[in-house]
Amino acid sequence: AFTPIVCSAPLLYAHSHGFFAREGLSVELKLAPGWSGIKELLVHGFVDAAHMLMPMPFACAMGIDGIQAPIRVGMIQNINGQAITLAKKHLGVRHAAEMKGFTFGVPYLFSMHNYLLRHWLAEHGVNPTEDVVIREVAPPRMPFYLEKGWIDGILAPEPFNQIVVQQNLGFIYRLSRDIWPGHPCCSFAVRQDFIDSYPHTYRALLRAILAAQLTIHQAGREQRKTIAQEISAPGYLNLDSPLVVEQVLLGDYPDGRGGQCHV
């Protein structure tokens, strides 16, 4: 199971580019729009493995996010790659203190997005529990929530920050790597009983995703454009155009304030 965000790129590319097949695996990807759905699919054994926000397997194993289940982190799928994006009406905001009273959207309670946002606000004198409202919003719904004015900002995965910019709904305020350089984000998670029952299959899954990770990591500009097109297709990120994914993978993107960033 996976949700359609760029953090899932290694999993998607391992599937689309045949890395799983090279390991002798036949893998079926199941798209879920939000994280609670992914959690339920894995916890109840409807899928063998899942792309998960990194804190989710720990929350499941501890029994603090619904039913307790032996979910394990197989690997970290990505680092960095998130952003605080604010609605266009807040273009004048320069400091976190000006965000008191804001409502923010994060993908899930047990997410690096939630923890990073709370840490960053607190670090700048804003109480994340009392001075703002932080609510769960499935990433594909975030641009719509900003457009409707239901939230003032998001700490979100890509490509939804870039989609917000593309639709002229908001602007990139801060990259997550500027809050915690090299922070972990999403993981590849499996049930312990799957690892115990199919140890060779489990290792083959990890090898395939690691190979995809390494390929994306080492890819040059033109190859990253090709990768963006491949993983934007139906059944994967399902985007009409791969442009926003290209911008993310290349680190060359508009910030929504009229600037062009090169990161």
Side-chain angles (χ1 to χ4, degrees):
F2 76 100
T3 201
I5 59 176
V6 176
C7 304
S8 65
L11 178 66
L12 303 185
Y13 194 56
H15 187 270
S16 70
H17 213 67
F19 289 97
F20 286 131
R22 287 176 214 173
E23 293 288 343
L25 302 173
S26 175
V27 172
E28 179 187 353
L29 296 181
K30 286 184 179 290
L31 174 65
W35 297 106
S36 58
I38 283 181
K39 179 198 70 175
E40 295 300 320
L41 285 170
L42 187 58
V43 163
H44 294 287
F46 293 109
V47 296
D48 298 307
H51 160 230
M52 272 186 160
L53 299 164
M54 194 208 71
M56 289 177 68
F58 299 110
C60 290
M62 295 167 67
I64 58 175
D65 187 20
I67 186 172
Q68 186 171 14
I71 307 301
R72 305 290 180 245
V73 175
M75 65 166 65
I76 302 302
Q77 283 208 132
N78 71 304
I79 61 170
N80 299 325
Q82 325 301 314
I84 297 175
T85 296
L86 300 181
K88 222 35 182 298
K89 64 183 178 182
H90 298 305
L91 267 170
V93 168
R94 291 291 177 266
H95 305 287
E98 299 172 60
M99 299 181 191
K100 289 184 179 180
F102 277 23
T103 297
F104 286 96
V106 296
Y108 201 63
L109 176 62
F110 298 101
S111 68
M112 286 305 302
H113 311 75
N114 185 30
Y115 301 143
L116 285 169
L117 178 61
R118 289 176 178 275
H119 168 73
W120 181 80
L121 289 169
E123 195 175 44
H124 290 84
V126 179
N127 187 317
T129 303
E130 298 176 0
D131 294 335
V132 299
V133 174
I134 300 175
R135 57 187 294 196
E136 290 182 8
V137 181
R141 304 292 290 168
M142 287 178 169
F144 179 72
Y145 273 52
L146 279 170
E147 184 179 21
K148 288 294 185 182
W150 296 340
I151 54 177
D152 296 283
I154 53 178
L155 203 161
E158 293 293 2
F160 296 102
N161 301 290
Q162 280 307 304
I163 288 174
V164 167
V165 169
Q166 185 186 63
Q167 295 178 356
N168 199 33
L169 300 174
F171 64 99
I172 308 293
Y173 184 84
R174 182 79 80 255
L175 298 182
S176 61
R177 74 176 213 160
D178 295 333
I179 301 172
W180 176 5
H183 70 82
C185 184
C186 287
S187 67
F188 178 72
V190 292
R191 293 176 56 93
Q192 183 64 53
D193 54 8
F194 180 85
I195 298 173
D196 294 340
S197 299
Y198 309 106
H200 299 297
T201 302
Y202 172 61
R203 285 196 288 271
L205 284 168
L206 296 189
R207 282 196 302 269
I209 298 172
L210 281 167
Q213 284 179 324
L214 184 62
T215 301
I216 298 170
H217 184 66
Q218 294 179 336
R221 287 185 63 86
E222 292 308 310
Q223 188 179 4
R224 287 187 181 217
K225 289 180 181 179
T226 302
I227 292 168
Q229 189 162 5
E230 202 166 309
I231 66 174
S232 297
Y236 299 122
L237 298 181
N238 195 31
L239 297 169
D240 294 332
S241 165
L243 177 61
V244 288
V245 181
E246 277 185 27
Q247 291 167 337
V248 174
L249 293 185
L250 295 175
D252 189 350
Y253 60 91
D255 62 6
R257 305 190 216 211
Q260 188 73 16
C261 299
H262 307 279
V263 179

